[in-house]
Amino acid sequence: MSSTWHILGAGSLGSLWACRLARAGKAVRLILRDEQRLADYQATGTLTLVEGEQRSHYAIPAETARGAGPIHRLLVACKAYDAAPAVARLAPRLSAGAELVLLQNGLGSQDEVAEQAPHARCIFASSTEGAFRESDWQVRFAGQGFNWLGDPANPAPPPWFDDLQEAGIPAEWRLDILSRLWRKLALNCAINPLTVLHDCQNGGLLGHLPEVDALCAELTVLLQRCGQPGAAENLQEDVQRVILATAANYSSMYQDVRQRRRSEIHYLLGHALRTAARHGLVLPQLEHLHQRLVDNLTARGLPGT
Ligand code: NAP
């Protein structure tokens, strides 16, 4: 089986992974959105990774979904709302037993992708690394972090897992990946929407702790009810710890809204509320938060899903 890493989406995280894998001598190919993006990339010819003052350039080959040849290993690095449609276009090229690594934040997109690729193995990832695009084809590695990978359907790590260490990508194989993703989702629901509504850095929520605590109480009930008691443990304390530790930061949702980009609300707060409804739970604080956020996004001319 080919060991090429196909990278779907050469945005912030996709480029960060692609450059590090290429630097370690791994075979990497980018899959770009369309012919126009491919022509843009080919005019530059390289991806640039900026780390502090250092810039490195990697001439990574690229193609579109219409390229030829089977795909055995695919890193899906699109936003959550783009992941399933992007994978659907590649489905004819996925080999039997192909492995997909899903970098999307939140929950829900993983199941949407799995529906498009029913014969593939879907490996879920949760990342705390930070990267952003300084310009097209140039990404800045902005925050050291960690990656947890796991497969809720299969406890065995994939044979290529050591590639990550060789490429300097900090990662650990976890059997409880769903718990990690739920915990991150809960932290996100308790913090990110309020930073948009109160127009503040994370630390600004120290002035709104009763509101934060009320959300944590409902999120705890939800996590316990949906079979994730580990993700519910000490949620409120953890949320306050994160607010303090990241007081000067702007949340990812805040940044999306500020830059007039579509947010991933559907896979964060939206997923929490859809799960609550499936379990017959009524969570008035979270529902009210969702409505306020949708109204806020709509008033800005941004999608509310
Ligand atoms: P991003 O910078 O917006 O990159 C997404 C990329 O996907 C873009 O390059 C986009 O192409 C591409 N794309 C969309 N549809 C495509 C298609 N059909 N075919 C090929 N490419 C397609 O997003 P990101 O920040 O890397 O985020 C990716 C995921 O990682 C999100 O779920 C995010 O929440 C999560 N995450 C990000 C970070 C971070 O620091 N950035 C940290 C943790 C988690 P164009 O360039 O043509 O628009």
Side-chain angles (χ1 to χ4, degrees):
M1 193 178 267
S2 153
S3 58
T4 299
W5 283 87
H6 285 87
I7 312 276
L8 180 57
S12 311
L13 275 199
S15 300
L16 177 64
W17 280 60
C19 290
R20 289 181 296 184
L21 288 163
R23 176 159 64 195
K26 310 294 173 193
V28 181
R29 291 189 75 82
L30 306 174
I31 300 178
L32 305 180
R33 188 189 282 275
D34 55 27
E35 298 298 333
Q36 179 61 55
R37 294 294 282 156
L38 181 59
D40 281 358
Y41 173 71
Q42 283 169 341
T44 308
T46 56
L47 278 186
T48 299
L49 178 60
V50 186
E51 296 163 284
E53 299 299 303
Q54 198 185 328
R55 269 158 215 277
S56 353
H57 308 283
Y58 301 93
I60 299 173
E63 61 195 42
T64 67
R66 285 151 57 132
I71 294 173
H72 303 290
R73 191 183 306 160
L74 181 69
L75 181 76
V76 182
C78 310
K79 294 283 197 187
Y81 44 78
D82 281 329
V87 168
R89 292 170 61 202
L90 282 181
R93 292 179 60 193
L94 293 176
S95 66
E99 289 164 319
L100 275 55
V101 180
L102 311 180
L103 283 180
Q104 288 60 48
N105 201 4
L107 280 161
S109 68
Q110 297 85 353
D111 290 343
E112 293 174 356
V113 167
E115 272 175 37
Q116 301 301 329
H119 305 298
R121 179 181 190 192
C122 286
I123 291 169
F124 298 10
S126 177
S127 179
T128 58
E129 294 194 297
F132 64 89
R133 280 193 265 191
E134 289 188 332
S135 57
D136 268 355
W137 324 121
Q138 175 164 315
V139 65
R140 176 171 287 274
F141 190 4
Q144 300 289 332
F146 203 79
N147 300 282
W148 292 272
L149 278 73
D151 175 355
N154 178 352
W160 45 260
F161 198 73
D162 289 346
D163 271 17
L164 303 185
Q165 200 187 350
E166 287 164 31
I169 299 173
E172 185 186 350
W173 183 255
R174 298 289 305 201
L175 300 183
D176 63 349
I177 189 67
L178 274 181
S179 177
R180 288 213 156 252
L181 283 162
W182 266 112
R183 177 67 158 215
K184 192 168 177 213
L185 182 148
L187 287 161
N188 187 301
C189 289
I191 295 173
N192 295 18
L194 286 179
T195 63
V196 173
L197 295 173
H198 292 301
D199 193 13
C200 64
Q201 293 153 307
N202 291 355
L205 299 186
L206 292 171
H208 302 276
L209 283 183
E211 209 177 355
V212 174
D213 290 350
L215 294 174
C216 289
E218 288 193 355
L219 287 161
T220 299
V221 171
L222 171 63
L223 292 170
Q224 285 165 343
R225 180 71 75 86
C226 75
Q228 298 295 338
E233 267 173 39
N234 303 321
L235 179 65
Q236 185 178 325
E237 289 82 347
D238 204 22
V239 165
Q240 292 195 10
R241 181 192 62 74
V242 171
I243 289 174
L244 281 170
T246 62
N249 296 1
Y250 287 103
S251 74
S252 54
M253 189 177 278
Y254 183 98
Q255 292 179 44
D256 281 342
V257 170
R258 257 300 152 95
Q259 289 166 36
R260 303 202 52 73
R261 292 187 306 232
R262 182 175 171 185
S263 76
E264 295 182 301
I265 172 179
H266 183 77
Y267 300 93
L268 296 161
L269 197 46
H271 185 80
L273 287 174
R274 286 192 298 281
T275 306
R278 267 208 316 280
H279 287 272
L281 269 181
V282 178
L283 301 172
Q285 303 286 336
L286 282 169
E287 280 162 23
H288 184 51
L289 178 73
H290 185 252
Q291 193 53 56
R292 286 159 69 203
L293 185 59
V294 170
D295 291 347
N296 187 294
L297 295 173
T298 309
R300 295 171 191 263
L302 293 171
T305 60

